[in-house]
Amino acid sequence: MTPSTVYFTNLRTAPGNSLLQKLERMVRQAGFEKIDFKDKYVAVKIHFGEYGNLAYIRPNYAAVIIRMIRELGGKPFLTDANTLYSGSRHNAVDHLHTAMVNGFNPIATGADVIIADGLRGKDERIIDIQGKYCPEPHIGAAIAEADIIISLTHFKGHEQAGFGGTLKNIGMGSGSVAGKRDMHATAQPRIQEDKCIGCKICENHCNHDAIHVIDRKAQIDYAKCVGCGQCIALCKSEGVVVGSHESSAILNYKIDEYAKAVLHGKPHFHVAFIMNVSPECDCWNHNDAAIVPDLGIACSFDPVALDQACVDLVNAAPVLRTSNMLTDKLHLAPSSENACCCSADAPSSENACCCSAANATEDDCCSEHPDHFHHLHPDTDWQAGLRYAEEIGLGTRHYHLIRL
């Protein structure tokens, strides 16, 4: 298969060359203007950020893309679908309010916000793709009816999928509430009783009354559990974890099929922001410290190649010791320095991930192919998702990276 092209720009700036200008220059060079936007409805799929989480994409970047679409004759709108779990985006009223509070409004971005699946998450279109895992994905109506899909993705870790990238933004993010339930059906968590401390955080935040603490240990009612993963993200003692390696892989397969339903037969283009690479999803009302330095912005017509390139860029970056979540997993000693360097033979600190801690091993951090996402979430299988996405024709993992 011919490699796809992925464009990348770092975050270095100069007078007359701001990050917003670099973003515009990059997407133009990537061929954004070749899309026929004239009089087309353009869904700009984005994550508005759960209230309290500050790792989401700044609205300023969305404004650049919106302006370009309008200049090319398109009719853009910012969109996302409601969540399965409780939170500030569980219904369209709260979701719209959260979007506005976080800066996604017509004044800041130049576009209106449409919640794709309506007030209660039931406004959907069923798209027959004859998928192996999800034959008929339930897609938010506003996204399903759009003529063109443009995705803007905050690239980060994810406690169930391994990482959250473009495919997850499109697939999981475009599913109606029924669609999200469909995707999560085999991703139910399990309790590690030896680590559960009975704090009841999971019980207090479960939107489906599926988890309760009994005799100081959490118990899951699997007849009620939809596998949304909120308990996994909120538990800081690792008392709740992904049910099995297979469930993570199947979740990724389902996300791929939903992404296929969204993109099939439509022009599409994708931008990924590799900044504030938090260890977990933006869906929660908090975000932990970034695991690597801010790297840059990438874009492509191929969502699979883009996700693979983002993974590779993150894995080539040094681990930030301020990210307690990842450094704890790697047994790195605390340090006031951002990155660690372990040997004279290591590459420059720009690309090296190095370990000076006594307990760290070469396999932990300094292997030829480090995998920060596997270390963060060892029960997940992000590679399965990219392999399957390639298999069903969403794109290719092989890419040519053009640095601008």
Side-chain angles (χ1 to χ4, degrees), residues 78-135:
L78 291 162
T79 190
D80 196 8
N82 291 310
T83 62
L84 186 60
Y85 51 82
S86 61
S88 67
R89 298 178 301 117
H90 182 59
N91 60 78
V93 174
D94 293 337
H95 203 160
L96 279 169
H97 179 73
T98 300
M100 300 300 162
V101 168
N102 286 346
F104 295 97
N105 55 64
I107 295 174
T109 67
D112 289 305
V113 173
I114 298 176
I115 304 306
D117 56 345
L119 180 62
R120 300 179 184 272
K122 297 179 180 180
D123 191 1
E124 63 184 21
R125 298 293 181 268
I126 298 175
I127 300 177
D128 182 4
I129 62 167
Q130 299 183 1
K132 179 179 179 180
Y133 300 93
C134 300

Side-chain angles (χ1 to χ4, degrees), residues 178-404:
K180 289 181 172 66
R181 187 176 292 113
D182 182 25
M183 284 181 274
H184 280 295
T186 57
Q188 292 173 314
R190 62 182 173 86
I191 304 299
Q192 296 191 123
E193 289 196 357
D194 59 323
K195 294 187 177 182
C196 176
I197 60 175
C199 65
K200 292 192 174 183
I201 289 178
C202 57
E203 177 179 322
N204 294 335
H205 289 84
C206 180
N207 196 42
H208 304 277
D209 192 38
I211 187 167
H212 295 277
V213 174
I214 301 172
D215 295 332
R216 303 190 67 179
K217 297 295 179 183
Q219 296 184 17
I220 298 172
D221 182 348
Y222 287 106
K224 295 180 178 180
C225 176
V226 298
C228 69
Q230 186 164 23
C231 54
I232 299 173
L234 293 175
C235 182
K236 295 305 177 185
S237 67
E238 296 187 351
V240 193
V241 296
V242 173
S244 70
H245 192 68
E246 182 183 59
S247 68
S248 172
I250 293 176
L251 174 66
N252 278 315
Y253 300 157
K254 291 183 171 186
I255 288 171
D256 292 342
E257 292 188 346
Y258 266 68
K260 181 177 180 178
V262 172
L263 301 179
H264 182 69
K266 296 180 179 180
H268 53 88
F269 185 85
H270 314 282
V271 184
F273 296 81
I274 318 171
M275 311 169 183
N276 292 314
V277 184
S278 49
E280 294 178 334
C281 186
D282 292 350
C283 296
W284 315 123
N285 60 5
H286 62 277
N287 59 282
D288 210 331
I291 61 173
V292 297
D294 290 351
L295 300 179
I297 311 170
C299 70
S300 181
F301 283 96
D302 184 336
V304 182
L306 183 58
D307 270 356
Q308 183 66 63
C310 289
V311 168
D312 292 342
L313 287 163
V314 170
N315 282 338
V319 174
L320 290 176
R321 291 190 180 180
T322 51
S323 171
N324 292 333
M325 190 165 182
L326 183 53
T327 54
D328 286 352
K329 301 268 187 179
L330 296 174
H331 311 296
L332 298 180
S335 170
S336 60
E337 299 176 0
N338 283 339
C340 50
C341 295
C342 63
S343 73
D345 297 329
S348 68
S349 59
E350 181 181 358
N351 295 316
C353 170
C354 311
C355 315
S356 58
N359 293 332
T361 67
E362 183 174 337
D363 288 338
D364 283 332
C365 189
C366 297
S367 62
E368 183 180 356
H369 301 291
D371 187 343
H372 299 335
F373 299 109
H374 176 71
H375 287 304
L376 274 172
H377 307 294
D379 293 323
T380 63
D381 189 1
W382 63 262
Q383 294 195 48
L386 291 186
R387 287 193 299 267
Y388 188 64
E390 189 173 49
E391 181 182 324
I392 64 175
L394 279 170
T396 175
R397 299 179 71 180
H398 302 287
Y399 64 90
H400 173 55
L401 186 69
I402 296 180
R403 296 176 182 266
L404 302 177

Side-chain angles (χ1 to χ4, degrees), residues 1-13:
M1 183 178 291
T2 303
S4 292
T5 302
V6 176
Y7 291 80
F8 174 80
T9 186
N10 63 27
L11 302 179
R12 299 298 303 273
T13 63

